Amino acid sequence: MKTSHIYIILSFLIIVAALLNLLIGSVHIPAIDVFKILFGGDVENQTWKIIVMQSRLPQCITAILCGAALSVSGLMLQTLFNNPLAGPSILGITTGASLGVAVVTLLGGGLVVANADKLSGWLAVLAGAMIGAFVVMFVILLLSSVIKSNIMLLIAGIMIGYLASSLITLLNFFATAEGVHSYTIWGMGNFGGVPLSQMPLFIIIVLFGLALSVMLIKPLNALLLGENYAENLGVNIKLARSLLLFTTGLLSAIVTAFCGPISFIGLAVPHIARMIMRTSNHVKLVPTTILTGSFIALMCNFVCHLPDKFGILPLNAVTPIFGAPVIIYIIINQRKMRYFN
């Protein structure tokens, strides 16, 4: 199948998944009324308008962008470290963001998250996540200038993640019950964490990170053949690695800050894209990964919001259903999947 045909199919699937997210949810809204609301028409039930414009539509946009951001971050890290099990959380950046939120929510006794719909509470959570993520990213960037081995840098990132997790555990131990509950809810993940008023900022930052990932396609392809070969091609390895870490850190930080630590999408989707394209050429892989990640994220969000008397399911209870089988398949068939290298 031609590459262009694959892009068209994936784009069509994204449109279908987006319509499912807009038309179907825990509250039944007639399809004709949903379209009236989307195109600025009036409906009798104003509650439906609030649900569509302030809940379903923002979540749909957020899922598309988050899926793309996490997936392309996973692809870049897997190529950088030549490790099929690398993901956005592997360097501790996601855990760093979680630590920042833990400091804000747990030390605040859960009051910050309880007031997250207010500007002050929302900004406090966002600031905590961003500071935590970028502190870890800054440490990783410093280490990358000293540690030349990608494997050692990967191990250092894992250790930083363990350290951040340990601090989170300590904060949970000494926090109030309300604080622990608030942090636990945030940690389940949710594409509804971006208010409509903050959507432009979120879109701009994510699109900037995705644009950087597209600009890094050439260094990524060169790194597939080894650092020595990449240097012979004129690639500045140190600069390329720093840009890759910055880009993945930025995308992971903004997604975690707004939506919580989302599991498996960044780890599994790049492998799905490789199986679709049967190649390691990032000229084809990066767009395919972005499109596939958006589709998978939309489907996860759709499953979370299926009509049910128990309400909305946690996002991180759904993403392993999509991601875990892929990872198990990759582990079992690792020798057969030669297109990874």
Side-chain angles (χ1 to χ4, degrees), residues 232-244:
N232 291 333
L233 291 177
V235 176
N236 187 326
I237 297 299
K238 184 177 179 180
L239 177 61
R241 185 163 58 172
S242 296
L243 286 174
L244 284 168

Side-chain angles (χ1 to χ4, degrees), residues 5-26:
H5 293 169
I6 294 176
Y7 294 160
I8 292 172
I9 292 173
L10 288 173
S11 299
F12 174 75
L13 290 175
I14 289 173
I15 293 172
V16 172
L19 288 174
L20 289 174
N21 277 267
L22 292 171
L23 297 175
I24 301 175
S26 55

Side-chain angles (χ1 to χ4, degrees), residues 5-282:
H5 293 169
I6 294 176
Y7 294 160
I8 292 172
I9 292 173
L10 288 173
S11 299
F12 174 75
L13 290 175
I14 289 173
I15 293 172
V16 172
L19 288 174
L20 289 174
N21 277 267
L22 292 171
L23 297 175
I24 301 175
S26 55
V27 176
H28 174 69
I29 303 175
I32 188 171
D33 289 315
V34 172
F35 284 112
K36 283 182 180 179
I37 294 169
L38 292 174
F39 290 100
D42 292 326
V43 292
E44 294 181 3
N45 193 331
Q46 293 302 308
T47 302
W48 291 350
K49 189 172 184 179
I50 295 173
I51 292 173
V52 173
M53 297 305 296
Q54 297 186 19
S55 178
R56 291 187 183 180
L57 182 60
Q59 285 185 36
C60 187
I61 297 172
T62 301
I64 291 173
L65 293 174
C66 286
L70 293 174
S71 300
V72 80
S73 295
L75 175 64
M76 289 188 291
L77 288 173
Q78 288 169 10
T79 301
L80 176 62
F81 295 107
N82 193 28
N83 189 326
L85 298 181
S89 61
I90 197 66
L91 294 178
I93 297 171
T94 301
T95 311
S98 300
L99 176 60
V101 174
V103 170
V104 172
T105 59
L106 297 179
L107 295 184
L111 296 177
V112 173
V113 173
N115 296 316
D117 55 331
K118 299 180 180 179
L119 183 61
S120 59
W122 178 82
L123 287 177
V125 174
L126 177 62
M130 294 295 289
I131 291 173
F134 277 101
V135 165
V136 173
M137 187 179 70
F138 179 72
V139 173
I140 294 295
L141 286 173
L142 287 179
L143 291 176
S144 68
S145 63
V146 178
I147 302 174
K148 304 303 179 183
S149 171
N150 284 335
I151 299 298
M152 292 298 104
L153 185 60
L154 183 66
I155 294 174
I158 293 173
M159 293 303 105
I160 292 174
Y162 279 131
L163 179 61
S165 296
S166 176
L167 294 175
I168 292 173
T169 302
L170 289 173
L171 286 172
N172 272 287
F173 181 80
F174 290 106
T176 62
E178 292 79 6
V180 173
H181 176 74
S182 298
Y183 179 76
T184 301
I185 295 299
W186 176 85
M188 291 180 179
N190 179 20
F191 286 136
V194 186
L196 195 59
S197 60
Q198 303 301 326
M199 187 62 70
L201 173 64
F202 180 75
I203 292 174
I204 290 172
I205 295 176
V206 173
L207 290 181
F208 174 72
L210 293 177
L212 286 178
S213 68
V214 173
M215 294 172 61
L216 290 168
I217 286 177
K218 182 179 178 181
L220 285 168
N221 277 338
L223 286 171
L224 287 174
L225 302 174
E227 292 188 359
N228 292 333
Y229 186 84
E231 287 180 346
N232 291 333
L233 291 177
V235 176
N236 187 326
I237 297 299
K238 184 177 179 180
L239 177 61
R241 185 163 58 172
S242 296
L243 286 174
L244 284 168
L245 291 173
F246 173 78
T247 304
T248 55
L250 176 66
L251 291 173
S252 300
I254 190 67
V255 170
T256 306
F258 279 94
C259 304
I262 300 173
S263 62
F264 277 102
I265 290 180
L267 183 61
V269 171
H271 294 294
I272 298 176
R274 291 188 184 96
M275 288 187 282
I276 293 173
M277 302 305 295
R278 306 299 299 181
T279 182
S280 289
N281 184 355
H282 288 79

